[in-house]
Amino acid sequence: MPQEKLLTVTTTILVLWVIFIITWERVSPYRKGLKFFREGFWIDLVWYTLIQSYFLKILIFDYIIAPIQHHFDWSAIQFVTHWPIAVQVLFFLVTHDLYIYLFHRLQHRSKFLWRTHEAHHSGKEVDFLSGSRSHIIEIIINQTIEFAPIILLGADPAVIPIKALLDAMFGMFIHANVNVKLGKLKYILNTPELHLWHHANYQEVFHANFATKFSIWDHLFGSAYDPGHSPGNERENWGLGYEYPKDYFLQHAFSVKRFDENKLLKYKWFERYYNLRPAILSLLLSPWKKQHSKTDTIHQPKTIDTSITPHPQEEILQ
């Protein structure tokens, strides 16, 4: 199949998958009562999913992988070249997923690497879009290690869009707010049943359920946590045990230097910046809000609640 046609097919499948997952979340939610336009929705969609992904794709493929391919001769080890495409895709799915599992465990143990991963855990309301929230450094590391071998080892060009599609579909699935049980398959394939626990603010799961696609890694290496019930439904039962910035740029700044958003609000320039995005969103969404309940307070600036007791493990890593 020509590459352009393959891209059209994979894009169409992805759009249909998004529609399916959104519908599933409305019909059979894991946590009832979560709004579609939940806190952080626009940050995750606009900044992480669209803007960050677009520019990092250019950076990773054109300015990291391409120079490596140009300066080094990998022809002698291009052993996957003559494999069927399906086998190539499966090979890179499994090997990269094992890498992600190991690196993910390391991120939860390393104070430095945790700073590049905590953004992913900052959401208090986890849904299909939450998986897109990842620090720039984390994406650069993981996607370079993911796609560089595909190119350097001589895989078929079709492998990249197919694997990218499967990554996106699985990422949305394991973060989706859906109530689903796969029975014995959960010991092989990851599910929201297992991964949503990883996003809960409990000491038991800070070092558990690291798998992305294949939960078998957690079971093989003793990091599976499956109590048979859901986490609590209060805000303090989810996300981080400490306060985290709501703004995209502040989230990245926070990984370098800790600060208190409330204290920064005393500066007029910061207050204007901090309230600019919510004001614009409020203006754009005002027609929609008029047709719905007046209680729908989409993305309004909130005073940070510091009464939540920090997660014991996360407090150490600050």
Side-chain angles (χ1 to χ4, degrees):
M1 181 183 298
Q3 195 74 354
E4 288 186 6
K5 185 176 180 180
L6 179 60
L7 290 174
T8 301
V9 171
T10 53
T11 301
T12 302
I13 293 173
L14 182 60
V15 171
L16 293 175
W17 181 252
V18 170
I19 295 172
F20 172 72
I21 290 291
I22 290 174
T23 304
W24 196 357
E25 287 188 328
R26 299 298 103 190
V27 173
S28 181
Y30 185 83
R31 292 173 66 190
K32 293 179 172 61
L34 293 190
K35 300 174 183 177
F36 180 76
F37 294 112
R38 43 82 177 164
E39 181 183 76
F41 176 89
W42 295 106
I43 292 292
D44 293 344
L45 176 62
V46 177
W47 283 103
Y48 283 102
T49 303
L50 300 179
I51 298 176
Q52 177 174 284
S53 295
Y54 175 78
F55 285 103
L56 288 187
K57 176 185 176 183
I58 296 173
L59 173 65
I60 292 169
F61 281 90
D62 295 349
Y63 293 94
I64 297 178
I65 298 178
I68 294 175
Q69 185 182 25
H70 177 73
H71 289 289
F72 295 94
D73 182 11
W74 300 83
S75 57
I77 55 172
Q78 293 184 343
F79 59 92
V80 304
T81 304
H82 301 294
W83 294 358
I85 293 178
V87 176
Q88 293 182 30
V89 172
L90 181 61
F91 172 76
F92 289 110
L93 273 177
V94 173
T95 54
H96 182 254
D97 201 61
L98 176 57
Y99 153 75
I100 285 292
Y101 168 83
L102 297 172
F103 185 67
H104 192 182
R105 286 192 71 159
L106 184 59
Q107 286 178 300
H108 279 251
R109 292 185 176 277
S110 164
K111 181 176 181 179
F112 171 75
L113 290 177
W114 173 249
R115 296 288 187 99
T116 71
H117 184 59
E118 61 185 341
H120 187 68
H121 283 268
S122 61
K124 295 290 186 180
E125 298 172 284
V126 185
D127 64 10
F128 77 102
L129 195 58
S130 300
S132 65
R133 184 180 296 197
S134 295
H135 193 283
I136 283 178
I137 299 301
E138 181 177 38
I139 295 297
I140 291 175
I141 294 173
N142 285 338
Q143 291 197 357
T144 299
I145 292 176
E146 174 179 12
F147 292 109
I150 295 176
I151 295 173
L152 300 177
L153 296 179
D156 191 288
V159 173
I160 290 180
I162 293 173
K163 187 177 186 306
L165 170 66
L166 294 174
D167 288 344
M169 292 176 66
F170 234 97
M172 283 187 276
F173 173 62
I174 65 174
H175 292 95
N177 182 40
V178 296
N179 185 21
V180 58
K181 298 183 184 299
L182 295 186
K184 298 297 183 181
L185 271 178
K186 71 180 180 180
Y187 295 105
I188 300 174
L189 297 178
N190 202 8
T191 69
E193 181 184 6
L194 298 173
H195 194 72
L196 290 180
W197 259 108
H198 183 69
H199 282 263
N201 183 31
Y202 291 80
Q203 184 175 358
E204 296 90 332
V205 289
F206 188 75
H207 294 294
N209 294 9
F210 298 109
T212 300
K213 297 178 184 68
F214 303 109
S215 60
I216 192 170
W217 309 129
D218 281 309
H219 295 286
L220 284 176
F221 298 114
S223 56
Y225 181 78
D226 185 13
H229 61 84
S230 304
N233 202 34
E234 301 301 321
R235 284 181 59 81
E236 59 264 29
N237 299 131
W238 294 84
L240 300 172
Y242 50 89
E243 291 306 322
Y244 193 76
K246 305 296 188 296
D247 178 82
Y248 171 83
F249 294 103
L250 295 180
Q251 288 171 0
H252 284 82
F254 192 74
S255 67
V256 179
K257 175 67 177 177
R258 299 314 203 193
F259 54 83
D260 186 333
E261 280 181 314
N262 278 340
K263 291 181 179 179
L264 290 176
L265 286 171
K266 67 181 180 181
Y267 299 105
K268 290 294 183 182
W269 65 269
F270 182 80
E271 184 181 9
R272 292 193 189 97
Y273 165 75
Y274 194 71
N275 288 290
L276 178 62
R277 178 180 49 80
I280 294 174
L281 280 176
S282 180
L283 179 64
L284 293 175
L285 296 174
S286 56
W288 182 87
K289 289 193 292 184
K290 288 178 181 178
Q291 300 174 9
H292 294 76
S293 172
K294 293 182 179 181
T295 60
D296 188 4
T297 55
I298 298 173
H299 240 68
Q300 295 298 317
K302 298 179 181 179
T303 302
I304 295 174
D305 176 13
T306 57
S307 63
I308 298 175
T309 303
H311 188 296
Q313 297 290 346
E314 293 169 357
E315 188 176 33
I316 294 174
L317 291 171
Q318 291 187 62

